[in-house]
Amino acid sequence: MYFLGDTICAIATPMGRGGVGIVRVSGPQAFALASLISRKNHLIPTFAPQVLVSKFYHPQTQELLDEGLLLIMTAPKSYTTEDVVEFQIHGSPFILSNFIKILTQQGCRLAEPGEFTYRAYRHGRIDLTQAEAVETLVSAAGEVTAQQALRQLSGGLSNFLEPLEELLKSLYLDIESRLEFSEDGIPPLDETTFQQTLHQTQTTIQTLIASYAQGKILKQGLTVTLAGPPNVGKSSILNHLLGNQRSIVTPLPGTTRDLIEGELFIHGIKIRFWDTAGLRKTRHLIEQEGIARSYQMIKEADMIWWVADASRSLSRTSLKVIQTLPADRTWFLLNKQDLVVHPSSLTFPFPENRCWNLSCKTQQGFDSLLNFLHQWVSGTVEGDQLMLLSIRHCLELETALSHLKNINQLIQTHQPRELWAEELKEAVLAIGKIRGKNLQEEAFEAIFKNFCVGK
């Protein structure tokens, strides 16, 4: 639970040594605390932010703590819209922690994760989508992710959702007014226009929902699972892609019995590779658990790379598993091409445009595979259209869309218009929740707990 009204403080820069560290303070006692520590007893709040060069002292012992810059921002012209001061001092972990200790001894409270941004939201400077964009921007690993976060922080998503919400409200009022004042000469509802508007709105929401597939990859990265039977070279492929010996490689089948993770960054997008246990029947309990985890990673992956030994026919187990793989998420790597003696003697039921011939020994095919990965990621990050970056936003829009689709069914079955109005009302509420309307306090805590403390 976040409390407004008291004064909070936090280190606003990453932990560790650095040239500069920032301690941020927000609340009614911010200026008093700054005066106490800087010995500047006549800080005069001004409309414009002030930057002062200052030395800082312990309030009781008068010991010199550090020297640096003191930033003074008067409400409402600050990040939180409260009185805010920032101590820009040397980035020593000891000095920064000592400032926090002294501030809390003087009645300041250590801020909760995201509490500065929460106050900015509660005081109306930003809405909830903009607040969430702050966390996305801070954690952005690439240019496109940062651009999308900045777009949302600047109100891009809010500006898209607000007219959509107002449109649905107008449809609701069109129905309600005719139900409440049916005898007051209001013209009948134009059902053709109503259904056209409803259909266009559904299409708009569906397009935005579909953008989350890209937005998720921008924010969370791409997950690639290397799957297949034992001893086909999954670990060797992972090691080659990463350029180091991440996985243990031996001639013995079943060497990998747990999930092995490795990461690459392409165009600022994190690619997480998972080397998995070989899929086969086994009585070994540890290997069985590893195989269960392999199936789970196949289920969760954005991209599945099925690895096969090009010098051997597929086993029955492999054929059964391949038939269950989602075609749109699966590609095939025919490894060990250096062992193939008669290429025409073996055939594999893999689509040619989703198959690569590889050899970890001769490096065959790896340039082509990496080029494909670069092109795939480039296609994901291209374009400047608005994207959803949050699963919360996506789920609320799916809820709104579900209610709008219910109206289609109500119209087709000639149900009372009171029911249409109820579905529209629920759709409006769902879209409003994206911007923070009608949310329970627990929902805010779930959102802001992912922020860093100083933001």
Side-chain angles (χ1 to χ4, degrees):
M1 178 70 70
Y2 296 99
F3 296 97
L4 301 177
D6 54 355
T7 303
I8 57 174
C9 65
I11 299 171
T13 42
M15 293 303 295
R17 293 185 298 173
V20 177
I22 297 175
V23 174
R24 178 176 289 164
V25 182
S26 179
Q29 297 303 312
F31 290 171
L33 290 167
S35 296
L36 186 66
I37 294 176
S38 67
R39 290 184 179 175
K40 297 183 184 299
N41 298 322
H42 302 290
L43 288 177
I44 302 174
T46 60
F47 186 76
Q50 301 178 70
V51 182
L52 305 176
V53 178
S54 179
K55 293 184 177 181
F56 305 110
Y57 300 89
H58 194 290
Q60 275 77 46
T61 67
Q62 306 306 314
E63 175 189 2
L64 178 66
L65 301 174
D66 199 3
E67 58 182 40
L69 297 179
L70 176 63
L71 275 65
I72 304 170
M73 290 160 275
T74 306
K77 296 293 183 178
S78 71
Y79 182 74
T80 62
T81 78
E82 302 173 333
D83 288 339
V84 171
V85 297
E86 288 187 359
F87 300 94
Q88 294 195 4
I89 50 183
H90 293 97
S92 157
F94 169 75
I95 292 175
L96 292 167
S97 298
N98 198 30
F99 262 73
I100 294 296
K101 178 181 178 181
I102 292 168
L103 287 167
T104 54
Q105 287 174 345
Q106 299 302 313
C108 206
R109 174 172 62 80
L110 185 63
E112 298 291 334
E115 190 168 0
F116 292 95
T117 303
Y118 177 80
R119 291 190 174 198
Y121 162 70
R122 277 302 191 194
H123 294 315
R125 194 179 73 80
I126 56 177
D127 72 9
L128 192 55
T129 66
Q130 293 170 297
E132 290 170 293
V134 172
E135 189 275 331
T136 302
L137 183 60
V138 169
S139 60
E143 180 182 359
V144 179
T145 311
Q147 288 174 346
Q148 284 291 332
L150 281 169
R151 183 173 184 174
Q152 186 172 314
L153 180 59
S154 300
L157 182 57
S158 303
N159 294 337
F160 184 90
L161 293 175
E162 186 173 2
L164 189 64
E165 186 179 350
E166 292 303 316
L167 176 60
L168 292 177
K169 283 181 181 178
S170 70
L171 293 178
Y172 171 80
L173 292 174
D174 282 346
I175 295 174
E176 277 293 309
S177 62
R178 286 163 175 81
L179 293 173
E180 293 290 333
F181 309 104
S182 58
E183 299 178 358
D184 291 354
I186 298 177
L189 180 70
D190 186 339
E191 285 200 21
T192 301
T193 301
F194 178 89
Q195 291 188 51
Q196 287 175 348
T197 304
L198 189 66
H199 175 73
Q200 291 169 357
T201 305
Q202 290 177 16
T203 302
T204 299
I205 294 175
Q206 285 174 329
T207 301
L208 192 55
I209 290 172
S211 74
Y212 179 64
Q214 288 178 285
K216 177 187 174 185
I217 291 173
L218 285 178
K219 186 175 181 181
Q220 301 179 13
L222 177 72
T223 301
V224 180
T225 294
L226 293 161
N231 208 31
V232 292
K234 298 185 295 298
S235 299
S236 296
I237 291 172
L238 176 66
N239 291 341
H240 186 87
L241 291 169
L242 300 181
N244 59 58
Q245 298 299 308
R246 186 70 182 85
S247 287
I248 298 173
V249 177
T250 75
L252 302 175
T255 301
T256 302
R257 295 187 175 185
D258 202 351
L259 302 175
I260 307 296
E261 181 186 8
E263 294 181 356
L264 285 179
F265 280 85
I266 298 177
H267 300 303
I269 303 297
K270 180 168 68 174
I271 316 295
R272 299 175 66 195
F273 294 97
W274 289 96
D275 180 19
T276 62
L279 304 179
R280 65 174 178 177
K281 293 181 179 180
T282 179
R283 293 182 178 180
H284 197 291
L285 291 178
I286 296 177
E287 191 173 358
Q288 286 177 356
E289 176 61 27
I291 290 171
R293 295 184 183 187
S294 298
Y295 281 114
Q296 184 63 32
M297 287 310 304
I298 289 173
K299 182 179 178 180
E300 295 177 3
D302 299 305
M303 186 178 286
I304 302 162
W305 286 1
W306 182 270
V307 183
D309 185 341
S311 66
R312 296 183 179 181
S313 299
L314 294 173
S315 67
R316 290 183 179 180
T317 300
S318 292
L319 286 170
K320 287 181 180 179
V321 175
I322 290 169
Q323 290 173 356
T324 68
L325 298 177
D328 61 328
R329 293 193 289 122
T330 305
W331 285 260
F332 301 92
L333 312 184
L334 281 171
N335 192 31
K336 301 190 179 183
Q337 292 290 331
D338 54 289
L339 299 180
V340 177
V341 180
H342 302 292
S344 60
S345 63
L346 295 173
T347 59
F348 297 90
F350 303 149
E352 187 174 346
N353 64 338
R354 301 179 78 87
C355 186
W356 277 266
N357 294 324
L358 300 180
S359 170
C360 292
K361 185 174 183 179
T362 67
Q363 318 305 317
Q364 176 188 343
F366 278 95
D367 287 344
S368 176
L369 180 63
L370 285 171
N371 184 54
F372 155 74
L373 198 55
H374 275 267
Q375 290 179 347
W376 198 94
V377 172
S378 296
T380 298
V381 303
E382 284 178 354
D384 59 354
Q385 72 275 16
L386 182 67
M387 294 182 194
L388 291 183
L389 301 174
S390 165
I391 184 60
R392 187 184 74 84
H393 301 166
C394 186
L395 292 175
E396 293 293 358
L397 283 171
E398 287 178 345
T399 298
L401 182 61
S402 175
H403 287 293
L404 296 182
K405 286 183 175 180
N406 288 344
I407 299 175
N408 297 337
Q409 184 66 26
L410 293 173
I411 293 173
Q412 291 172 6
T413 55
H414 307 288
Q415 297 299 314
R417 288 180 180 172
E418 288 88 346
L419 299 180
W420 304 11
E422 283 302 312
E423 296 293 346
L424 280 168
K425 182 179 178 181
E426 292 300 321
V428 169
L429 288 173
I431 293 176
K433 285 179 180 179
I434 296 175
R435 297 196 293 144
K437 299 179 181 179
N438 304 303
L439 272 183
Q440 299 294 322
E441 192 64 34
E442 293 78 9
F444 289 110
E445 293 184 18
I447 291 168
F448 285 96
K449 71 178 182 181
N450 295 318
F451 282 56
C452 56
V453 172
K455 200 61 181 175

